[in-house]
Amino acid sequence: MSITLNINGMSRQLDVEPELPLLWVLRDKLGLTGTKFGCGIGACGACTVHLDGQPVRSCSLPVELARGKAVTTIEDLGGAHPVQQAWIAAQVPQCGYCQSGMIMAAVALLKAHPAPSDTEIDQGITNLCRCGTYPRIRRAIHAAAGAKVDRDA
Amino acid sequence: MKFSGSRRRFILAGATLGGGLLIGYGLFKPRDFLGDPQLLPLNADEVALSAWLKIAADGTITVAVPRVEMGQGVHTALPMLIAEELDADWTAIKVTQAPIAAVYGNIVGMVDTTPIDEANRGPVGVSMRWAYARLARVLSIQITGGSSSVRDAWLPMRTAGATARLMLLEAAALRWNVKVGELSAHASVITHTGSGRTFKFGELAGEAAKLTPPTQIDFKSSTQYTLLGKAIPRVDIPAKTNGAARFGVDTYRADMLFAAIKASPVFGGVLKSVDEEALRKAPGVVHVVKLDDAVAVIAETTWHAQQALNAAAIEFDGGAYAKRSLAGIFDDYARAMAVGDFFGYEDIGDARSALTKDPVIQAEYRAPLLAHACLEPMNCTVRVDVDGAEIWCGNQAPDLMRMNAAHALSFPQEKVTLHTPYLGGGFGHRPEPSTMLQAIKIAQAVPGRTVKLTWSRAEDLQHDTYRPPALARFKARLDASGNIAAWLHQITSPDGVPATMARWYPQLPLAGPDRTSVDGAAFLAYAIANRRVEHCAVAVDPLPIGVWRSVGHSTNLFFVESFMDELALAAARDPIDFRLRHLTARPRESALLERLREISKWDTALPSGRARGVAFGNAYGSIVGQVAEVSIVGGALRVHRVLCVLDCGRVINPDIVAAQLESGIIFGLTAALYGEVHYDQGRIKQNNFGDYRLLSMADTPEIITHLIDSDAEPGGVGEVGTPAVAPAVANAIAALTGSRLRSLPLRI
């Protein structure tokens, strides 16, 4: 099946099965390796990307459901996004494998809740981190909220 | 019950006291700290001043880091050692993964396995550690583990920095025709004190490299430090916030293929049948590879390979082990304990006699199987050509990996190129060559093509090298003043490190004793006049067991520190006071517990419904103490806060240490609350994070860490946060409910 996707603001035409999960389109077809494979069932969130600004777990999203929508991956944040800056300031990542997904989840959370409470962070960040960077993620989200997220990611 | 060890087996016969001394002096030169500069590949404008660093004309200093980066911060902490003694400009430091060579071997990690008390500085202790160090240099394993990176690098990397600094000063002195003593260095600039003239390191590196390295160097005193002890930001973090960091699984090459595998769910089973025809016809499938115990599919994407395997008709023959279970293993343990074939690691006074008098306090504890569950599933990318192979694999021991790869490929080692990118978690799972060996066999089916094998999460959980299950029994007696008069601790588990080493060195006959079996149980800081700690080694074949963050400490500290609280209760003493009464000869440990008492406000009341528990221990040359605060609401256990004090000697980078403590505590708490792998019908039941639960953001307690100021030699950090949290939580639960949980995970 030929499908046209909008990925990080660019139009990409691909010949893939409709049920191929978006994660594998990004990684194995397009070489966008920032989005990670962790569990394959949407449980860990390492594969989190945005679909029209909403966080989705791309390992469980058939690519056909991304048709006509804007797909945003970690690569599109650049590096100077306030959430990324807060991540560096709080020295959040350890092994770093979950962090692309964490940051995408945090950007979406801050868009929905510009100044999230701890409970909103607990509810909004359901991604898993095996290294246990959660306390620093919480700190970085609060810091990024204080820094006013004014960029539209 | 027999108390004397009847299986006095040693890792290498020659490594025992006498043998080590005999082979030692004749064969071994002093450890070469500097190594051969030619080990480092150079660009045209670079020179190497040792195996550890090279300097470019523009002043860029590239440090070869001998350990792998898996989030523990070694790519920052180890270059700090060199930069400090070199007086380098930190912003000019770049990091490269060291090549494979003996100079980068890990000696301290091996010496840690010497089966004797670390505090033993007498002739026996010194000789045994010396012999183990010699053995370590023979094997020269380039392994990252055992919380040993800073400890092992402490001398060689500071030596490399100080030596290079002197060579640069010498080169400047020759140019200016002045004495070295008239020069100073700061931030990669050498200044002549009298004239104010300066040279940048980059301008002199070529001349310095031609000089003979000095044999006499002086290290800085700690008051002169400008980098060590500072929270320098980690060099790997920016790339880990923008998707640029490359892990093994991120290896992509033009025209590559993707593989998935399904191995016999029953350990020790073999492949019986597979409908190859149907598999080959599945969408995207390029090739089917049958292994003795597995089927692999090569496809155009990882997902196609996984889907084809999920739908395939595959039959395995579980063979003799199809009924094996964890319950059966614990039955084996109990039988072995009844026979009493123990190896005594520690025997002070006469515990046996002292325990014949009543009342004796007894308890039995157990710990389950655990998986590592690194978030990056095990994976390996391989291309096999006619005359060599290239391998990309996040791993904790590059030399072991390359050696095993060369053996499997029947190539000389130099024909195998191994790339070690960042590791998406290690925790003891990634020194294991098994995934790579599968990937090699798969890639051999498509010579000249690059193939990436990625394990599914189920494969990762079901074919791990697990933390072994353990069973522990205590007997103890208190004296009239409520102190411990006698202590007998018997542990049953497999000898995990020999079993692990047998996978790494299939050609070498290796056996116990395995000091890690009693890590956290033997050689405790507590003064107990009559104490015996003994281990009964029971094999758990065919279950593959390995090393899991903090290894023996992770189970033994739960046993020991829980039982200490049982004894404190029996003595009607406060748990911290009770411990301190047995630590009067140990000022560092006592000071740490006092500090923990203070920061946890131990002596103040908590709100009703909450309780505290304490645990404490020595591990990897460091001392750690933790207090956990818990409550039970609606039948559910909640851990609110964990306070942690660490004495790891000199702190290289306090923020990395704090991050590692937070990490270790969450790793240990995950195991304490949820960690359990079910082994039944010969197989592991867990298949994803749904049934192998990890701690989440919402479950994570507030964590407060404190570091003790110390000038002592650096201690280990990466694993020391892990073992104390389970007993601290168990002790808090006992304080809250009056009920003692003696089995992990903790279920109220």
Side-chain angles (χ1 to χ4, degrees):
Chain A
M1 178 190 85
S2 178
I3 185 169
T4 304
L5 295 173
N6 177 347
I7 295 173
N8 297 335
M10 281 169 52
S11 178
R12 309 291 292 254
Q13 191 152 8
L14 293 148
D15 188 20
V16 292
E17 295 103 308
E19 65 270 26
L20 178 63
L22 177 61
L23 170 69
W24 300 109
V25 174
L26 296 172
R27 290 182 60 82
D28 289 3
K29 296 287 182 188
L30 299 174
L32 288 169
T33 58
T35 306
K36 305 299 186 197
F37 165 61
C39 68
I41 58 167
C44 77
C47 64
T48 303
V49 300
H50 292 179
L51 202 60
D52 281 347
Q54 294 300 309
V56 293
R57 306 223 159 153
S58 64
C59 75
S60 305
L61 185 84
V63 66
E64 65 181 334
L65 297 183
R67 193 202 299 262
K69 299 189 173 167
V71 177
T72 310
T73 72
I74 185 74
E75 284 86 356
D76 194 51
L77 289 196
H81 189 284
V83 171
Q84 291 172 308
Q85 293 304 302
W87 243 245
I88 292 169
Q91 294 281 289
V92 172
Q94 290 192 22
C95 90
Y97 195 76
C98 72
Q99 298 296 341
S100 296
M102 286 287 183
I103 288 170
M104 296 310 284
V107 169
L109 171 72
L110 285 163
K111 215 184 268 179
H113 303 280
S117 65
D118 280 334
T119 305
E120 284 165 343
I121 292 174
D122 286 346
Q123 289 164 353
I125 304 295
T126 56
N127 301 30
L128 297 175
C129 171
R130 184 55 162 151
C131 300
T133 61
Y134 303 117
R136 286 169 186 247
I137 290 172
R138 186 185 301 283
R139 212 188 306 159
I141 290 174
H142 283 309
K148 290 199 188 99
V149 181
D150 54 9
R151 204 190 112 145
D152 210 20
Chain B
M1 183 176 289
K2 277 193 302 179
F3 279 86
S4 62
S6 62
R7 294 168 295 105
R8 297 198 175 265
R9 301 161 295 134
F10 283 83
I11 282 182
L12 277 184
T16 58
L17 175 56
L21 287 170
L22 279 177
I23 60 171
Y25 269 107
L27 293 177
F28 294 100
K29 296 179 196 156
R31 183 176 176 186
D32 171 24
F33 283 160
L34 294 179
D36 183 352
Q38 292 185 22
L39 283 168
L40 295 182
L42 299 175
N43 294 322
D45 64 337
E46 290 176 329
V47 292
L49 297 187
S50 65
W52 300 95
L53 72 134
K54 52 185 187 172
I55 302 181
D58 71 355
T60 301
I61 299 162
T62 304
V63 174
V65 177
R67 305 289 166 257
V68 301
E69 182 59 79
M70 46 190 177
Q72 83 284 37
V74 284
H75 275 197
T76 307
L78 299 193
M80 284 172 71
L81 302 178
I82 281 189
E84 180 67 67
E85 292 293 344
L86 180 57
D87 279 319
D89 172 7
W90 176 253
T91 63
I93 298 280
K94 284 212 164 86
V95 175
T96 186
Q97 194 67 48
I100 295 170
V103 69
Y104 307 116
N106 186 339
I107 309 301
V108 164
M110 187 79 182
V111 174
D112 271 359
T113 65
T114 314
I116 193 164
D117 188 354
E118 275 140 41
N120 184 332
R121 298 290 149 176
V124 174
V126 169
S127 306
M128 281 190 74
R129 271 186 295 276
W130 182 87
Y132 267 66
R134 268 46 190 175
L135 174 62
R137 278 170 50 194
V138 171
L139 296 175
S140 189
I141 309 182
Q142 216 162 314
I143 192 165
T144 306
S147 297
S148 61
S149 296
V150 163
R151 290 183 293 148
D152 189 69
W154 179 240
L155 279 176
M157 292 186 83
R158 283 189 306 145
T159 300
T163 303
R165 177 182 176 277
L166 271 183
M167 291 163 81
L168 289 159
L169 289 183
E170 180 72 28
L174 287 170
R175 276 271 207 112
W176 287 327
N177 197 23
V178 298
K179 291 198 175 73
V180 168
E182 297 170 33
L183 306 177
S184 65
H186 175 70
S188 291
V189 175
I190 296 167
T191 304
H192 180 236
T193 317
S195 65
R197 285 174 292 182
T198 61
F199 270 126
K200 292 176 185 158
F201 281 2
E203 297 173 294
L204 288 172
E207 286 151 70
K210 293 187 186 112
L211 302 172
T212 306
T215 49
Q216 289 290 316
I217 51 155
D218 292 317
F219 291 133
K220 287 181 180 177
S221 74
S222 59
T223 55
Q224 297 170 292
Y225 286 160
T226 58
L227 287 171
L228 299 193
K230 292 209 163 59
I232 306 287
R234 269 183 29 215
V235 299
D236 55 327
I237 279 186
K240 289 177 175 178
T241 64
N242 61 21
R246 291 299 172 110
F247 299 84
V249 79
D250 298 328
T251 306
Y252 284 83
R253 284 290 175 278
D255 199 27
M256 77 184 289
L257 294 167
F258 303 90
I261 195 162
K262 176 148 187 63
S264 169
V266 173
F267 295 110
V270 294
L271 178 62
K272 196 168 152 194
S273 72
V274 55
D275 186 347
E276 283 184 76
E277 199 52 35
L279 252 183
R280 254 186 228 106
K281 283 184 193 149
V285 170
V286 176
H287 214 89
V288 177
V289 183
K290 288 201 292 183
L291 307 181
D292 292 344
D293 61 349
V295 178
V297 168
I298 304 174
E300 62 185 66
T301 74
T302 306
W303 182 79
H304 285 99
Q306 289 176 348
Q307 291 294 109
L309 273 178
N310 288 344
I314 307 171
E315 272 189 288
F316 294 99
D317 181 353
Y321 297 112
K323 297 287 174 206
R324 198 83 162 112
S325 69
L326 184 59
I329 288 173
F330 274 116
D331 288 346
D332 289 351
Y333 283 8
R335 269 193 296 275
M337 283 185 117
V339 172
D341 189 7
F342 289 101
F343 182 88
Y345 281 84
E346 191 176 30
D347 200 6
I348 309 282
D350 189 350
R352 273 170 290 182
S353 303
L355 286 164
T356 53
K357 291 171 241 162
D358 278 339
V360 170
I361 301 161
Q362 303 191 46
E364 181 177 293
Y365 284 82
R366 58 177 64 194
L369 272 175
L370 289 180
H372 296 89
C374 301
L375 210 60
E376 179 192 11
M378 296 297 275
N379 65 86
C380 180
T381 304
V382 179
R383 192 191 65 250
V384 180
D385 296 315
V386 180
D387 57 350
E390 194 164 4
I391 298 173
W392 297 260
C393 189
N395 73 84
Q396 288 177 249
D399 58 325
L400 284 176
M401 299 294 277
R402 191 181 67 169
M403 180 187 75
N404 278 285
H407 189 254
L409 287 155
S410 301
F411 285 144
Q413 291 205 41
E414 60 272 19
K415 295 290 184 188
V416 177
T417 304
L418 173 70
H419 304 276
T420 301
Y422 287 138
L423 283 67
F427 315 119
H429 198 182
R430 285 198 150 97
E432 295 293 342
S434 57
T435 314
M436 178 190 72
L437 295 175
Q438 290 176 341
I440 286 171
K441 285 183 184 152
I442 294 166
Q444 282 175 322
V446 283
R449 294 290 296 272
T450 306
V451 185
K452 174 163 58 190
L453 169 66
T454 307
W455 279 9
S456 66
R457 180 52 61 190
E459 207 63 18
D460 193 271
L461 289 170
Q462 292 171 4
H463 293 91
D464 199 347
T465 47
Y466 303 89
R467 183 185 79 177
L471 179 64
R473 287 182 186 151
F474 289 98
K475 283 185 185 175
R477 201 169 60 76
L478 300 172
D479 64 19
S481 58
N483 290 340
I484 305 168
W487 168 285
L488 170 66
H489 185 182
Q490 301 174 312
I491 302 159
T492 299
S493 65
D495 275 335
V497 167
T500 301
M501 301 256 304
R503 281 192 302 273
W504 298 349
Y505 292 103
Q507 309 88 332
L508 276 183
L510 295 161
D514 177 12
R515 155 73 194 265
T516 66
S517 301
V518 293
D519 270 349
F523 319 122
L524 300 176
Y526 301 125
I528 300 169
N530 302 290
R531 64 181 190 267
R532 181 167 171 93
V533 179
E534 53 188 22
H535 179 249
C536 178
V538 176
V540 295
D541 298 340
L543 193 63
I545 52 160
V547 290
W548 187 97
R549 195 175 192 173
S550 79
V551 199
H553 296 281
S554 76
T555 49
N556 289 328
L557 210 68
F558 168 67
F559 304 152
V560 165
E561 284 295 286
S562 297
F563 191 61
M564 279 299 281
D565 257 39
E566 294 203 58
L567 297 182
L569 184 67
R573 292 208 185 275
D574 170 84
I576 289 184
D577 288 340
F578 182 73
R579 285 172 173 81
L580 285 169
R581 290 168 70 93
H582 297 88
L583 292 168
T584 50
R586 303 288 287 248
R588 277 178 81 179
E589 285 82 355
S590 299
L592 181 129
L593 272 180
E594 291 290 4
R595 183 75 178 277
L596 186 59
R597 190 209 300 266
E598 180 193 321
I599 68 154
S600 67
K601 300 191 170 58
W602 180 261
D603 297 319
T604 64
L606 281 170
S608 143
R610 276 205 200 188
R612 296 185 185 98
V614 66
F616 144 88
N618 295 63
Y620 306 107
S622 293
I623 311 161
V624 66
Q626 291 174 13
V627 166
E629 290 181 16
V630 309
S631 69
I632 296 172
V633 177
L637 175 68
R638 173 84 204 175
V639 180
H640 297 273
R641 292 214 297 171
V642 177
L643 299 110
C644 176
V645 180
L646 177 73
D647 179 349
C648 63
R650 177 165 307 290
V651 174
I652 306 304
N653 185 319
D655 193 53
I656 294 179
V657 174
Q660 282 305 293
L661 288 178
E662 292 159 15
S663 172
I665 288 165
I666 289 172
F667 204 86
L669 194 56
T670 300
L673 300 182
Y674 315 129
E676 189 173 28
V677 164
H678 294 91
Y679 179 48
D680 197 21
Q681 298 292 314
R683 68 192 73 201
I684 302 295
K685 183 181 144 205
Q686 273 62 28
N687 68 44
N688 214 312
F689 294 122
D691 55 9
Y692 194 65
R693 187 172 168 189
L694 302 187
L695 210 72
S696 69
M697 174 70 86
D699 305 326
T700 299
E702 180 187 10
I703 297 173
I704 297 162
T705 61
H706 280 249
L707 307 182
I708 301 267
D709 267 336
S710 170
D711 296 332
E713 292 275 299
V717 168
E719 292 162 271
V720 298
T722 299
V725 69
V729 171
N731 291 339
I733 294 168
L736 186 68
T737 67
S739 133
R740 170 59 56 185
L741 300 179
R742 297 192 183 88
S743 187
L744 292 172
L746 302 169
R747 290 215 176 85
I748 54 163

